[in-house]
Amino acid sequence: MQTEEVHQGRTFVLRLEHKDIVHTCIEDFARDKGIRAAALIILGGADQGSRLVVGPEDDLARPVNPAQTALEVAHEVAGTGTIFPNQQGEPILHMHMACGRGDATRTGCIRSGVQVWQIMEAVLFELTNCRGQRIPDPDLGFMLLQLPK
């Protein structure tokens, strides 16, 4: 396990608008505000055609080949995530959402493109004194959070 003690900085409330792409909007906001690391919660609606990574196609394959699904219609969503910079200092959002409609729910990573249906609301908690980075892991094919030793 890797750990690092950090502190809470600024807190922001964001309203994402109809057709916004969630990860793009949040990463752009973080870049504009100089946010290096953060934790987020989000809720609202995801539009039809939104894509989720829902697991690996083969649990044992390396690098991992992500399985994806698309929402056929609008869904209610609740999600949580983190932002940490890559090696170039760019903020990278890692967020998972539960997307439900009726009695069915799909949960996955939003990196493939979740589009807002009408509105999403997010609360972003900046983390300061944090040196963590997302570093490429060639074996898995993911950008993994690495904390300093």
Side-chain angles (χ1 to χ4, degrees), residues 10 12 14 23-37 83 89-92 124 126:
R10 301 169 290 175
F12 296 93
L14 291 73
H23 75 275
T24 302
C25 285
I26 292 174
E27 289 171 350
D28 288 347
F29 177 81
R31 188 177 305 104
D32 292 347
K33 292 294 184 181
I35 297 168
R36 177 178 165 76
I83 294 172
E90 291 293 314
I92 305 295
L124 183 150
E126 181 181 33

Side-chain angles (χ1 to χ4, degrees), residues 57-136:
E57 286 187 1
D58 176 347
D59 292 0
L60 302 177
R62 297 295 181 266
V64 173
N65 189 22
Q68 296 187 30
T69 190
L71 303 179
E72 301 84 23
V73 293
H75 282 62
E76 297 293 323
V77 304
T80 188
T82 58
I83 294 172
F84 291 101
N86 62 16
Q87 291 174 300
Q88 293 73 42
E90 291 293 314
I92 305 295
L93 175 65
H94 183 203
M95 177 175 277
H96 288 205
M97 281 184 179
C99 303
R101 184 167 174 122
D103 59 357
T105 300
R106 290 188 234 170
T107 302
C109 183
I110 70 165
R111 194 79 199 155
S112 294
V114 168
Q115 188 172 14
V116 175
W117 178 80
Q118 301 306 318
I119 187 172
M120 276 193 203
E121 302 167 357
V123 180
L124 183 150
F125 305 96
E126 181 181 33
L127 304 174
T128 62
N129 300 336
C130 182
R131 297 172 292 155
Q133 285 188 312
R134 295 202 191 282
I135 307 293

